[in-house]
Amino acid sequence: MTAETVFASPDEMHTYLIDQLNLVLRRPGMYGEVEASMWMVMDHLLFLERRPEVWEEQKRVWSQQGAWTPTGVEGAFSLLLPHDHGYSVASVYAEFAWRQGWLKPDRVLDAEAYASMRDVVHQWGLRDRVWADVPAAFGPPSVLFGGTNPLYGKTLGYVTEDLSEPMVSFHLWNGADPGTEASWPPAREEPLLLALRCGDGNFADGFTFTPQGQRRRPKAAEQLQ
C-alpha cells in the first residue's frame, strides 16, 4: 500500500523559495551559474504569487538601462569589471528581490545613514580602497554577496527602508591581472575595491571606478567610451 503524499502548503513553498533565493544571492558560487539559479527560483516565486509578467517587465527595464544583454546581466558586467564568479551579478538580482519583498538583508540603513552615504560615496570611491575600508567607512553591509574569506572577491550591498532608493554596491576583486599567471593564494591579502555602483538610470553611468578599477577595466569597455 502506497503512503499518501502530503504536499507543502503554498505559504510553506513560498517561504522555502525565498530562503533559497537568499542563499543563492549570498553564496552564488555554491549554486552553479548564478543567473540560471536566480531565474529558476524567481520563476517559481512569481508563479506562486500569480505575477509571471513581472520578470519580462524587469528584463525590459534592464535592457533599456543597458543592464541586460543576450548573455544576461553578466554580459553587462563583462564590459566593465573582470570576471568575479557571480558576486556582482547577484547584487543586481538582489535589488530586484528587495523591491519584490523577497530579500532578507542583514542590515537596513535608516534614511539619515543612507543619505549620508550617498552624499560622500562617489567622491570616496575615487581613491584606491580595499575590503576593510568599506565597512570601516559605512558600517556592516546589508548583504554580503560571497563568503567572508578574504582570498576571494565579493560584493557588499547597502539598502535603505525606502524601496525607491537604489542599492549601493561595492565590487571587490582578488584575481589575477591580465597577462599574469594566476597564483594561489593570491598575492593580495584582501580584495581590492574596483568600483561602486548606485543608480536606476543607465547601467554604466552608475559606476564610480577607483584607480585600480580603471586599470583593470576589460578592453571591451572601450565600446562604451
Side-chain angles (χ1 to χ4, degrees), residues 27-46:
R27 300 303 297 269
M30 295 181 64
Y31 292 86
E33 205 281 317
V34 63
E35 294 203 76
S37 300
M38 289 304 304
W39 297 345
M40 183 172 295
V41 176
M42 293 190 310
D43 179 69
H44 285 73
L45 274 168
L46 290 170

Side-chain angles (χ1 to χ4, degrees), residues 120-127 129 133-134 137-138 170 193 196:
V120 302
V121 71
H122 292 293
Q123 192 66 32
W124 184 90
L126 294 175
R127 293 180 54 190
R129 311 283 184 177
D133 295 326
V134 182
F138 305 111
F170 296 83
L193 177 65
L196 63 92

